Structures are given as C-alpha cells and as structure tokens.
C-alpha cells in the first residue's frame, strides 16, 4: 500500500462525520508534496477529486483520489489506486497572511 492512504470504509466514515456537523471551521488544508506526486503518478489519473471528512480523532481531513478521463474516481487498492489523506487542516497549519485566509 502506498504512503498516506486510507481505506474506502474509513473515507466514508470521515465524510459522514463531516457532513453531520455543518459548523466545521476549517479554512484550508495543507497537502503534502508526496500525496500529490504519488496520486498524479497513478495509472489513468487525469484529474484529482477531494472529499471532505473528519477522522476518528475529530481532525478535519481532505481526502484525495485520482479521477480518470471520464470523470470516474479511481479507488481500488488492488490496482494501486488509493485514497490519500495526510492533509493538515487550517487552523493549525495556516498561512495567516494569505489573502485567502484573511479575505482581504
């Protein structure tokens, strides 16, 4: 299994948790270079889709999956098509001077 991946079941649990609490205050996510590199190197990936979730510790997550030319998510551990999850939420990893953070 590639680095920084989670199972489909875990991703679905996180997404369900996220959607059950509309008061989440995450402004952004820091995405590690390794996640993007590995994801873009997967076979048939032409785009990336991000899903929002919350892990079992209450940490907000942005889950990344490869997308094929037809717009289909590529999720299949047997084909090395993984869900990448080692994003870090803002607040806590924010660029507080960014205009996207301050909205100024």
């Amino acid at each position: 299994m590639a680095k920084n991946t989670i199972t489909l079941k875990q991703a679905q649990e996180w997404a369900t948790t996220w959607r059950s609490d509309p008061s989440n205050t995450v402004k952004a996510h820091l995405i590690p270079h390794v996640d993007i590199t590995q994801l873009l190197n997967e076979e048939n990936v032409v785009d990336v889709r991000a899903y929002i979730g919350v892990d079992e510790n209450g940490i907000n997550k942005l889950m990344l999956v490869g997308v094929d030319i037809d717009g289909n998510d590529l999720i299949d551990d047997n084909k090395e098509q993984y869900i990448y999850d080692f994003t870090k939420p803002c607040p806590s990893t924010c660029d507080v001077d960014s205009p996207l953070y301050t909205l100024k």
Side-chain angles (χ1 to χ4, degrees):
M1 193 172 208
K3 290 182 181 180
N4 303 336
T5 65
I6 59 174
T7 66
L8 175 58
K9 182 177 185 275
Q10 193 166 34
Q12 290 169 324
E13 290 170 358
W14 293 1
T16 298
T17 301
W18 171 267
R19 293 171 190 168
S20 71
D21 182 5
S23 66
N24 286 308
T25 60
V26 171
K27 293 177 175 50
H29 283 83
L30 176 66
I31 304 169
H33 180 268
V34 66
D35 287 3
I36 296 296
T37 302
Q38 285 182 282
L39 181 54
L40 292 175
N41 284 331
E42 288 182 1
E43 189 174 340
N44 298 319
V45 171
V46 297
D47 288 315
V48 175
R49 182 170 286 120
Y51 288 91
I52 300 168
V54 177
D55 73 11
E56 58 280 349
N57 297 312
I59 304 297
N60 290 288
K61 293 289 187 171
L62 191 64
M63 301 169 284
L64 307 174
V65 299
V67 177
D68 69 15
I69 197 165
D70 297 317
N72 300 310
D73 289 352
L74 299 172
I75 303 171
D76 187 336
D77 288 351
N78 295 324
K79 294 180 180 178
E80 298 182 339
Q81 297 169 332
Y82 302 113
I83 303 165
Y84 293 81
D85 79 311
F86 272 68
T87 58
K88 298 174 185 167
C90 160
S92 81
T93 60
C94 305
D95 174 0
V96 296
D97 295 322
S98 169
L100 288 175
Y101 179 82
T102 63
L103 301 179
K104 294 179 185 176

